[in-house]
Amino acid sequence: WYASWRSGTMDFFIQPLPFDDGVHTVSKISPLWAVPDDAELAAAGIDTAMLGWTGGTASLHNFLAAFVDLGGGDLGQWPRERLAPLAEYIASLRAPLAPTPPPAADVARGRAVFVAAGCQACHGGPRGMGDRTYGFDEIGTDAAIEWWADGADHDGAPAGGLRFQPGDTITHAIKSPRLVGLWAMTRFLHNGALDSLDQLLCLAPRPDVPAPAFGSGGHTFGCELPDADRRALVAYLNAH
């Protein structure tokens, strides 16, 4: 499986890592910049930080504790106060500015398209995140990750020795990611199956990959818009 993953993607719970949930999933390795703080989340009426592609990790602290565990560390030696400086550092990170920003007129038009097309319904939270998770029947993307952490028995409990922090959950769903620093990214969809916003918005052909966990289908929102509107939308998204 390791040799089959695209660069910038992986299955986080698979041998020889300490935990194996028994389900082969592929996740794009997301950037750590622009994680919303508690005040932003509260203002948007969002109860948790919704970290991880399934949105089930409740806070930045929980996210960091999970990686201590995943790396074979001793959680007893990494209490909240010892992880706090790392959490503060990550919370300070911001997306890099595009070296060649899109034309301002295109960005303005793209913002109008973003609003008119209803993109805010799924990306209206802090930094463009959503305020809930979404079923795969809603989004249509590869559903292999639906059973992430649950295991082959699908009993809703963490599998393979996984130890969740308080507040973390198995959602059987997918989140809408933050829309920041997109100009610097070369992997799109939760499994990194697409290479560009142009492919995401059907301005360029998508690779035909139907294999489970690697599927390139779904999230065709916006593909029905006129070409000029989609190109303006790409400019708007690349301006963040």
Side-chain angles (χ1 to χ4, degrees), residues 136-188:
F136 292 92
D137 56 341
E138 294 179 84
I139 309 300
T141 50
D142 193 296
I145 202 172
E146 180 177 4
W147 303 109
W148 174 88
D150 196 346
D153 54 10
H154 299 175
D155 64 357
L162 296 174
R163 292 172 291 193
F164 277 13
Q165 295 293 306
D168 291 350
T169 61
I170 294 174
T171 68
H172 298 138
I174 198 77
K175 74 172 186 183
S176 48
R178 303 185 299 278
L179 301 181
V180 284
L182 299 185
W183 70 269
M185 298 183 189
T186 58
R187 295 287 181 262
F188 294 85

Side-chain angles (χ1 to χ4, degrees), residues 9-13 21-30 51-57 133-137 139-152 154 162 164 169-176 189-193 211-215 217:
T9 70
M10 69 176 295
D11 184 341
F12 286 88
F13 296 143
D21 61 3
V23 181
H24 179 232
T25 63
V26 178
S27 298
K28 184 182 83 167
I29 301 172
S30 297
L51 298 177
W53 273 107
T54 63
T57 303
T133 57
Y134 301 86
F136 292 92
D137 56 341
I139 309 300
T141 50
D142 193 296
I145 202 172
E146 180 177 4
W147 303 109
W148 174 88
D150 196 346
H154 299 175
L162 296 174
F164 277 13
T169 61
I170 294 174
T171 68
H172 298 138
I174 198 77
K175 74 172 186 183
S176 48
L189 296 183
H190 72 267
N191 60 358
F214 299 95

